């Protein structure tokens, strides 16, 4: 209930900072609002699973799994939305190194004993 009620304050602040009104917010399409609700549901499901896993797998593994969301977002950006299409070979090499280093970092954190 607190999360639901606090959103009225938080949403008001962000709407005002963006120069929007609630009327403009509610004039958004049903599809656009559904995408937002779906994103929130996926986020809450992942958070719930992460909290449950921390008790079973330990904090290091749980943290590594949670931070893996950033890697998944990068994968979507590169391979699904093709954000680096037409990029130079240097950029492609740096993106590949980012994937490698981030993955190795997550593995190392997951293997850590806290």
């Amino acid at each position: 209930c607190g999360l639901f009620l606090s959103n009225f304050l938080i949403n008001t602040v962000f709407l005002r900072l963006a120069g929007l009104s609630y009327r403009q917010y509610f004039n958004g399409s049903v599809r656009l609002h559904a995408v937002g609700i779906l994103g929130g549901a996926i986020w809450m499901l992942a958070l719930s699973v992460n909290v449950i896993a921390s008790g079973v797998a330990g904090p290091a593994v749980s943290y590594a799994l949670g931070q893996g969301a950033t890697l998944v977002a990068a994968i979507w950006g590169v391979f699904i939305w093709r954000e680096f299409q037409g990029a130079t070979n240097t950029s492609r090499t740096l993106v590949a190194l980012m994937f490698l280093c981030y993955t190795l970092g997550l593995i190392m954190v997951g293997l850590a004993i806290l």
Side-chain angles (χ1 to χ4, degrees), residues 3-112:
L3 183 63
F4 175 74
L5 294 174
S6 68
N7 270 304
F8 291 109
L9 172 66
I10 293 167
N11 287 346
T12 301
V13 169
F14 282 114
L15 282 171
R16 296 293 182 235
L17 288 174
L20 300 171
S21 67
Y22 273 105
R23 180 179 306 275
Q24 291 168 307
Y25 173 79
F26 286 113
N27 283 337
S29 68
V30 172
R31 182 173 183 229
L32 186 60
H33 286 287
V35 168
I37 291 169
L38 177 63
I42 291 170
W43 178 59
M44 288 308 298
L45 176 65
L47 177 63
S48 299
V49 171
N50 193 9
V51 169
I52 292 168
S54 69
V56 176
V61 172
S62 179
Y63 179 79
L65 291 173
Q67 295 305 307
T70 305
L71 187 60
V72 171
I75 289 169
W76 271 81
V78 171
F79 298 110
I80 305 299
W81 295 314
R82 302 183 192 280
E83 291 177 344
F84 284 88
Q85 188 174 13
T88 64
N89 285 337
T90 303
S91 294
R92 291 175 189 265
T93 302
L94 290 173
V95 169
L97 283 171
M98 179 273 305
F99 280 127
L100 177 68
C101 291
Y102 200 92
T103 301
L104 290 174
L106 288 178
I107 291 169
M108 289 169 44
V109 168
L111 294 174

